[in-house]
Amino acid sequence: MEDQFTTIKKDIQQIIDYMAIKNFSQASVTLIEVSDILDEMIDATNDEIVLREISKYQVLLNHLQVKMSTRE
């Protein structure tokens, strides 16, 4: 599970990097992929600590999605 969180962190950084260079289409694609992975992780676990960690990343992804939708 830790390996998945490491990959998710890298993917989220990649989303931020895409946003920084105004490549919003690729940022959006990556965001959807990470969101799908998190959904699969939620379905596969009952561990409260893991669920809490997943929810942190979901909140961050939601924030990034709002930022992309309100870009100038």
Side-chain angles (χ1 to χ4, degrees):
M1 195 64 71
E2 275 303 312
D3 290 340
Q4 286 181 314
F5 286 125
T6 301
T7 302
I8 289 170
K9 287 177 190 177
K10 289 178 184 177
D11 289 342
I12 289 174
Q13 183 59 53
Q14 189 175 38
I15 293 166
I16 294 167
D17 292 344
Y18 285 137
M19 290 172 68
I21 61 172
K22 304 208 183 305
N23 187 349
F24 295 106
S25 61
Q26 189 59 45
S28 181
V29 169
T30 306
L31 189 142
I32 291 168
E33 291 171 354
V34 174
S35 182
D36 288 345
I37 292 168
L38 290 174
D39 288 343
E40 290 172 10
M41 290 173 68
I42 286 174
D43 292 339
T45 189
N46 290 329
D47 186 342
E48 189 68 31
I49 294 171
V50 173
L51 290 172
R52 212 171 306 142
E53 191 70 16
I54 291 169
S55 70
K56 291 177 188 176
Y57 290 112
Q58 286 179 317
V59 168
L60 178 56
L61 287 179
N62 288 338
H63 179 71
L64 292 173
Q65 188 172 22
V66 167
K67 284 289 194 185
M68 279 192 284
S69 68
T70 59
R71 68 183 186 265
E72 296 180 31

